[in-house]
Amino acid sequence: MVTPIICWRWLRLRRNCSVTVWKPWPKARTTMARAKRRKGAARDPGGFVAVPWVVLDSAAYQGLSHPAKSLLLEFARQYHGDDNGRMVVTLAHLQPRGWTSNDTISRAKKELLDAGLIFETCKGGRPNKASWYACTWWALDKLDGYDAGVTAVFRRGAYLDRKPQTRSLIPCGGTTKASIAPSDGMGMPPSIPLGGAIQPKFVASPTP
């Protein structure tokens, strides 16, 4: 527990300047946060991405591919506290951050939409209008430019509808019955011995 540091000051009454009283200074350092700042910052300065554990532990997130998980962080990086619903993931926006394939972005974005982790708030169009998206673990902010009916359809926590996938014990190729016959098929025994046909031997009779 941090003990409050109370500073005292002199206060002279206006009616009688010869009378002085003690009164506590209004600014008292009482919080643990300020005490920690004096010792050193707990993390590097600047903003940060807050992704709740319930999102990271959900079946929707764990079932994503690695590109889709990376793209989800790109969505979350754009949030400033009041603009959930106006996030973009175009190649022009992501290329300076290391993304080089529009096809990879499209496939990862489709995964996030199917998993319920993001929601499209404004449909983009040619030539230069990008689609807008919102992350579903935050509330949808009230912004101009959404498509009609978006605020009524958007549902926070939609990713929680995804159920864990149960692994099947059946091989992907299906089950096959064990064959009793040899691998080269059923063969008929040869009618001729391996050494060839036996030739009869004629022995002369001793009687004439």
Side-chain angles (χ1 to χ4, degrees):
M1 180 177 180
V2 178
T3 303
I5 302 175
I6 302 176
C7 299
W8 296 83
R9 63 173 178 172
W10 286 97
L11 179 65
R12 293 183 180 274
L13 299 180
R14 294 181 179 179
R15 293 183 180 180
N16 190 354
C17 296
S18 61
V19 179
T20 58
V21 293
W22 287 100
K23 191 173 182 179
W25 193 262
K27 294 182 180 179
R29 299 178 180 179
T30 60
T31 62
M32 180 70 75
R34 291 182 179 179
K36 287 184 177 180
R37 290 195 193 100
R38 290 195 298 269
K39 295 180 181 179
R43 65 176 181 84
D44 292 342
F48 57 91
V49 174
V51 181
W53 289 357
V54 66
V55 175
L56 300 179
D57 297 339
S58 65
Y61 178 82
Q62 294 181 8
L64 297 174
S65 64
H66 291 298
K69 290 178 179 179
S70 299
L71 189 64
L72 186 64
L73 290 180
E74 298 292 349
F75 276 108
R77 170 62 181 84
Q78 301 177 45
Y79 184 59
H80 298 92
D82 58 354
D83 53 358
N84 187 35
R86 195 179 286 173
M87 302 172 183
V88 296
V89 285
T90 61
L91 182 60
H93 175 78
L94 296 178
Q95 197 166 17
R97 301 181 60 82
W99 295 80
T100 58
S101 173
N102 197 20
D103 183 62
T104 301
I105 296 173
S106 298
R107 285 188 281 106
K109 181 175 63 177
K110 185 179 184 304
E111 283 190 54
L112 296 176
L113 288 169
D114 294 341
L117 286 162
I118 63 172
F119 182 84
E120 188 178 58
T121 58
C122 179
K123 189 71 174 178
R126 295 180 182 276
N128 54 1
K129 181 181 179 183
S131 298
W132 292 356
Y133 300 92
C135 295
T136 57
W137 66 85
W138 288 312
L140 183 65
D141 291 315
K142 296 181 179 179
L143 302 170
D144 296 332
Y146 292 157
D147 290 341
V150 164
T151 55
V153 177
F154 176 84
R155 188 165 56 88
R156 181 177 173 182
Y159 62 92
L160 295 174
D161 295 341
R162 177 64 63 90
K163 303 299 181 183
Q165 295 182 356
T166 57
R167 295 184 178 180
S168 175
L169 300 179
I170 300 176
C172 58
T175 57
T176 57
K177 295 182 179 180
S179 177
I180 302 176
S183 58
D184 55 351
M186 296 291 292
M188 297 298 294
S191 57
I192 302 175
L194 297 177
I198 300 176
Q199 298 294 329
K201 293 183 179 180
F202 297 96
V203 181
S205 177
T207 56

